[in-house]
Amino acid sequence: MRSRGKVLVVAAMVVLALVGAGCGRSFVLEKDLISKSQAFTQDFAARKFESVLPVLTGDALESVKAALPLLQSADVETKVTDWSGKVDCMSRSKDRASVEVTYTQEQTVPGYGTTTTKMDVVYDWKKLAGAWRIYEIKLVQKDEGK
């Protein structure tokens, strides 16, 4: 009986820690944000900036706008494979979420070759005027291949 009480206390502590951290769960919303994150990653790699820019806000938008002339002029082909994503944390009010994505990025520059990089990135999303926007993009890890 005593060990059963300990299990209940530990379970309650885990729940309180999650609530205290401000993390909530909504599996339907998480699935939607993961899908949006995948579409953003693929569109950015395909240089579909007309689809990418409306998804961004704040610092993320300003950074991409500043780099846009260089991005548009670069003669590079990017392919994304092995993509996976998960919601790392969602606010209790369900208006902010962090989605961690991992993928392999293969970039080819004609006449120079191809590099393969394993990427681990976090997209920080927030809901603004009823629409989800990425306000910060954080590179967690980048492993250069060949």
Side-chain angles (χ1 to χ4, degrees):
M1 191 69 153
R2 190 168 234 201
S3 65
R4 185 175 174 195
K6 286 181 183 178
V7 169
L8 290 174
V9 168
V10 170
M13 289 172 58
V14 168
V15 169
L16 287 174
L18 285 173
V19 169
C23 294
R25 299 299 299 221
S26 170
F27 295 109
V28 172
L29 182 53
E30 287 181 23
K31 187 176 177 181
D32 183 47
L33 286 170
I34 290 168
S35 176
K36 288 178 186 307
S37 296
Q38 184 172 23
F40 176 82
T41 304
Q42 295 291 350
D43 285 349
F44 196 90
R47 302 164 57 126
K48 295 180 181 174
F49 301 117
E50 69 282 353
S51 299
V52 168
L53 291 176
V55 176
L56 299 171
T57 192
D59 289 343
L61 177 61
E62 295 309 313
S63 296
V64 172
K65 277 184 175 179
L68 204 52
L70 178 64
L71 292 168
Q72 290 173 324
S73 67
D75 188 18
V76 62
E77 180 183 315
T78 304
K79 187 168 80 171
V80 171
T81 58
D82 303 325
W83 193 96
S84 68
K86 67 177 182 169
V87 173
D88 188 42
C89 188
M90 182 176 299
S91 68
R92 284 181 272 174
S93 59
K94 310 276 187 288
D95 63 350
R96 290 180 187 261
S98 293
V99 178
E100 184 173 2
V101 300
T102 57
Y103 57 92
T104 301
Q105 176 178 279
E106 186 177 289
Q107 289 188 311
T108 302
V109 178
Y112 291 97
T114 300
T115 60
T116 302
T117 309
K118 293 196 180 287
M119 304 291 287
D120 187 355
V121 179
V122 173
Y123 298 138
D124 286 331
W125 293 85
K126 68 178 165 182
K127 200 168 194 176
L128 297 169
W132 284 96
R133 303 279 185 256
I134 296 172
Y135 67 93
E136 188 172 13
I137 300 171
K138 296 178 266 193
L139 178 64
V140 177
Q141 185 174 341
K142 179 177 171 179
D143 295 325
E144 297 280 339
K146 49 183 175 164

